[in-house]
């Protein structure tokens, strides 16, 4: 079955909305996650929520399952019952596929790894062009088979903080340029936003309820 995600990329009005709104919403996520000019790791969770909200907007709450057990590490939501992984990166770095501080577990993961679900992938590139893409599970399987595990997956270097296993830059480029991957080109322009991180919380404190 072809994932319903493809409908996003066939909806011209929604494509135009994504091109216009996604940079603005992700900029808000950056501001929400910033302290002393530096963006915290929680920005990833905010970006994920923004994209889940897009799916809720497009497909309706009844068709998007958001309460996914943490025992399913690669699955972020289910769309019409089918698992989806949401991934965002800034620049063409590696895409984290599993977090672990144990080097041995990372090696074991690589030895057994097989793609589990479709990706909804966002390449952020502030001031330049990036994209918003649907990468089917079948495309991931094809690229993995074509270049092999050693080139597809990137283990942390020995002696560094082993924060997890990534999809390599080479593999990511092949995934994004595959003919069956659907992409929307997004220019990542920044807007002038007057943002007060505490304002809404202060307003809650003012309420009498």
């Amino acid at each position: 079955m072809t994932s319903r995600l493809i409908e996003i990329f066939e909806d011209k009005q929604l494509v135009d909305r994504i091109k216009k709104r996604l940079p603005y919403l992700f900029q808000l996520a950056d501001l929400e996650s910033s302290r002393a000019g530096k963006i915290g790791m929680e920005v990833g969770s905010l970006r994920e929520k923004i994209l889940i909200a897009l799916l809720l907007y497009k497909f309706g709450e009844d068709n998007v399952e958001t309460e996914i057990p943490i025992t399913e590490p690669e699955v972020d939501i289910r769309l019409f019952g089918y698992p989806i992984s949401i991934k965002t990166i800034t620049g063409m770095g590696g895409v984290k596929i599993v977090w672990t501080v144990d080097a041995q577990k990372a090696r074991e993961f690589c030895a057994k790894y097989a793609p589990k679900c479709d990706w909804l992938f966002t390449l952020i590139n502030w001031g330049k062009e990036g994209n918003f893409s649907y990468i089917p599970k079948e495309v991931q399987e094809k690229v993995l088979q074509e270049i092999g595990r050693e080139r597809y997956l990137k283990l942390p270097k020995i002696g560094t903080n082993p924060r997890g296993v990534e999809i390599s830059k080479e593999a990511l480029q092949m995934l994004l340029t595959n003919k069956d991957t659907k992409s929307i080109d997004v220019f990542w322009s920044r807007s002038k936003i007057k943002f007060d991180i505490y304002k809404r919380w202060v307003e809650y404190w003012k309420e009498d309820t």
Side-chain angles (χ1 to χ4, degrees):
M1 175 182 172
T2 301
S3 172
R4 297 287 296 271
L5 283 177
I6 200 169
E7 294 176 24
I8 294 173
F9 300 83
E10 296 172 342
D11 183 335
K12 186 180 184 304
Q13 287 187 329
L14 186 56
V15 167
D16 291 342
R17 185 177 289 265
I18 289 168
K19 286 185 175 186
K20 181 180 179 181
R21 299 296 293 173
L22 195 57
Y24 176 78
L25 295 175
F26 271 27
Q27 188 180 349
L28 285 179
D30 284 1
L31 293 169
E32 180 88 11
S33 307
S34 295
R35 181 178 295 180
K38 294 198 173 182
I39 299 171
M41 290 185 66
E42 65 269 25
V43 71
S45 295
L46 287 175
R47 291 170 180 169
E48 181 180 308
K49 288 175 182 176
I50 289 167
L51 296 177
I52 289 173
L54 168 65
L55 298 178
L56 291 167
Y57 168 74
K58 169 66 177 175
F59 298 106
E61 292 183 14
D62 292 342
N63 300 312
V64 182
E65 181 186 345
T66 60
E67 298 298 319
I68 304 298
I70 58 172
T71 51
E72 298 191 55
E74 287 188 63
V75 181
D76 294 307
I77 59 104
R78 291 184 185 276
L79 180 64
F80 294 93
Y82 286 83
I84 306 293
S85 179
I86 295 175
K87 299 188 180 299
T88 65
I89 63 167
T90 301
M92 280 295 287
V95 178
K96 195 74 67 178
I97 198 159
V98 66
W99 294 85
T100 177
V101 295
D102 188 308
Q104 179 61 32
K105 285 184 178 179
R107 287 192 291 271
E108 290 172 359
F109 174 87
C110 288
K112 298 177 181 177
Y113 175 74
K116 286 186 177 179
C117 52
D118 296 337
W119 287 6
L120 194 62
F121 175 82
T122 308
L123 173 61
I124 306 157
N125 206 5
W126 291 112
K128 299 178 182 178
E129 197 169 81
N131 58 58
F132 176 72
S133 303
Y134 154 51
I135 304 176
K137 176 186 172 185
E138 291 77 15
V139 170
Q140 299 166 51
E141 291 170 338
K142 182 178 179 180
V143 172
L144 174 60
Q145 184 176 17
E146 186 175 336
I147 66 176
R149 294 174 188 277
E150 290 186 0
R151 286 167 61 190
Y152 189 87
L153 298 172
K154 180 183 176 184
L155 282 164
K157 291 180 181 178
I158 296 173
T160 64
N161 183 17
R163 294 173 60 193
V165 178
E166 296 179 346
I167 300 292
S168 70
K169 291 181 182 180
E170 177 190 11
L172 179 58
Q173 186 65 37
M174 293 177 70
L175 292 172
L176 288 172
T177 55
N178 187 279
K179 64 181 180 62
D180 293 321
T181 292
K182 304 298 179 184
S183 291
I184 299 168
D185 293 330
V186 177
F187 187 82
W188 291 90
S189 59
R190 292 189 184 272
S191 304
K192 290 184 179 180
I193 302 175
K194 188 176 180 181
F195 184 81
D196 184 341
I197 193 171
Y198 299 107
K199 183 177 179 180
R200 64 176 167 139
W201 302 112
V202 172
E203 293 300 320
Y204 283 131
W205 280 110
K206 288 180 180 178
E207 291 180 359
D208 292 327
T209 55

